[in-house]
Amino acid sequence: MASDRGVEGWWNTMRILEIRETAVPIRSAMRNAVFDFSEMTTSVVAVITDRLRDGRRVVGFAFNATGRYACGEPMRTRFIPRLLAAAPDTLLDADGIIDPERCLAVMSKREKPGGDAERAIPIGTIETALWDAAAKARGLPLHALLARRYGPGTPGGKVFCYVGGGWYLPGQTLDDVRNEMKRHRDAGYVMIKTKVGGLPLAEDRERIAAVVEVAGAGSNVAVDANGAFDRDRAFAYAEMLAPFGLRWFEEPAPPLDFALYAEICARYPHPIGSAENLYSPQDVANLIRFGGLRPDRDILQVDPPQAYGLATFARIVAMAEAAGFSRAQIFPHGGNLMSLACVGGLGLGGCEAYPGVFGPFAGYTDDARVEDGWMRLPDLPGIGFEGQSALYAVMRELAPEAASGM
Ligand code: MG
């Protein structure tokens, strides 16, 4: 029975009591080819439910990943009120547990088609927190719930994880770049991604040669231009990079310049990666249709909480598969536990890690280890934020009741 102490067990339907959000500064000194992160913030969301599980209040958490600023205003004025105003039973699945897909439909009411970036991030962050709550209510890791819902999961409970490094720092030397990459190798990573486009081309070529030398082969190295290049520069870099035989060339062009993507894909023989800055299934469909992406090699990198959340991400994965891409070519952006749950649940190519870059807003549980490029999935209920102590401290401040049955 419901009481002010909450409800334990399966026999009662689950209710959302409150949804809180707060903006938190990320504080990073890093810079890519386009911008620095000195003002970057993220929205942390807590979905407080009436459900108790193992004596603890079920609270779902998420944050809007890295690279997009906090987005509390549309959450407070539109998406949270819509969820709280809905008849509670309309938000539940057949087991009486919160159903994020039904919640997504409620949040999307009275939204005009198009203009997705304005709402895909706030909706997606809340939706991801709802998944955390739904998995915790079942006592399941989120990757296991996603595998059950969308399949097929990951054999052996391990996923491939590469390191996103090679950021531009003031006064950096080639030896600094080599030493950074050696540290990543020593930490267990096999594949390394480095930023590109922040220096003149000849200096960038030396930098990449140094990284390839440490990584042992071009196929262990990806580069990321963060969408910075115009046509001339994209082709100059494509020509410079081609002999390295890199694992992929990420965002060689602005994210929506599909015609330029098509030209690059027609001329650059090795894989390119993109889609971390696309915010709807239609945008990704257009990248595939008009950007000339090659289903036998190119890499898709949608960020799940930034693109309407995990249910929409699963739709995008299914769409890419129907277009001939394999799940092994999908590496969701983010470098966090939310993307990791998607990789494990949907059986994708892998995830990225940003050790030491974004403070608590990147990385995995405190006990996560990468060995020969592979990382074990966490077996905590939900997304697993409770195992990432620095991040969970921020989350618990937003919803102290998560740590108790109160
Ligand atoms: Mg990128």
Side-chain angles (χ1 to χ4, degrees), residues 5-323:
R5 293 297 303 274
V7 181
E8 176 113 28
W10 292 87
W11 50 87
N12 282 289
T13 54
M14 189 174 181
R15 298 278 180 267
I16 299 170
L17 299 178
E18 192 183 343
I19 302 177
R20 295 180 199 142
E21 60 75 31
T22 187
V24 182
I26 284 187
R27 290 198 189 94
S28 173
M30 301 298 166
R31 178 175 70 84
N32 60 35
V34 192
F35 68 102
D36 69 73
F37 283 76
S38 58
E39 297 176 355
M40 188 54 66
T41 53
T42 187
S43 284
V44 178
V45 169
V47 174
I48 293 117
T49 77
D50 69 341
R51 181 63 62 100
L52 296 181
R53 177 97 197 179
D54 302 325
R56 282 163 68 126
R57 170 84 47 194
V58 171
V59 179
F61 291 107
F63 62 97
N64 73 299
T66 50
R68 294 286 155 190
Y69 289 89
C71 49
E73 195 272 344
M75 291 185 188
R76 287 190 300 275
T77 55
R78 288 166 22 228
F79 308 121
I80 294 172
R82 279 177 203 160
L83 283 176
L84 297 179
D89 289 350
T90 64
L91 304 178
L92 305 177
D93 63 19
D95 296 326
I97 306 263
I98 287 168
D99 183 344
E101 288 195 23
R102 300 188 85 177
C103 295
L104 172 65
V106 167
M107 287 192 280
S108 305
K109 277 183 186 167
R110 296 183 285 281
E111 293 292 323
K112 189 178 176 182
D116 294 276
E118 181 265 338
R119 63 175 170 267
I121 302 163
I123 288 180
T125 307
I126 296 168
E127 197 256 19
T128 303
L130 291 161
W131 278 107
D132 188 37
K136 282 172 175 163
R138 290 182 163 84
L140 278 180
L142 179 58
H143 59 82
L145 178 58
L146 293 176
R148 196 181 279 185
R149 188 91 169 236
Y150 304 113
T154 302
K158 282 185 173 179
V159 303
F160 182 73
C161 183
Y162 72 91
V163 67
W167 298 72
Y168 293 102
L169 291 166
Q172 197 176 38
T173 65
L174 274 184
D175 270 343
D176 294 335
V177 173
R178 279 192 200 93
N179 288 335
E180 184 204 328
M181 295 303 165
K182 280 180 191 149
R183 281 198 304 278
H184 296 321
R185 293 278 295 185
D186 291 346
Y189 297 97
V190 170
M191 183 186 150
I192 288 162
K193 185 166 81 184
T194 181
K195 295 295 172 188
V196 74
L199 290 170
L201 183 140
E203 289 174 52
D204 261 344
R205 183 198 289 118
E206 284 185 38
R207 220 174 121 93
I208 293 157
V211 174
V212 169
E213 180 195 318
V214 174
S219 55
N220 290 334
V221 177
V223 295
D224 187 356
N226 289 95
F229 295 160
D230 60 17
R231 191 170 180 280
D232 287 348
R233 215 149 162 245
F235 286 127
Y237 268 79
E239 193 178 325
M240 179 272 278
L241 293 170
F244 286 107
L246 300 178
R247 180 67 182 84
W248 70 70
F249 178 10
E250 184 167 318
E251 289 201 302
L256 294 172
D257 193 340
F258 301 142
L260 182 49
Y261 270 95
E263 282 190 85
I264 295 166
C265 288
R267 283 168 60 168
Y268 181 71
H270 305 295
I272 66 123
S274 194
E276 71 172 79
N277 290 302
L278 300 183
Y279 298 102
S280 71
Q282 293 82 5
D283 280 346
V284 181
N286 282 335
L287 175 68
I288 293 171
R289 279 145 94 192
F290 303 116
L293 262 61
R294 298 152 296 183
D296 66 343
R297 74 195 78 168
D298 292 322
I299 305 295
L300 295 170
Q301 302 169 306
V302 176
D303 190 316
Q306 293 189 6
Y308 289 107
L310 313 191
T312 303
F313 180 75
R315 275 180 58 204
I316 291 171
V317 169
M319 180 192 74
E321 248 187 332

Side-chain angles (χ1 to χ4, degrees), residues 349-366:
C351 59
E352 60 183 338
Y354 298 110
V357 177
F358 296 114
F361 293 103
Y364 303 101
T365 52
D366 300 338

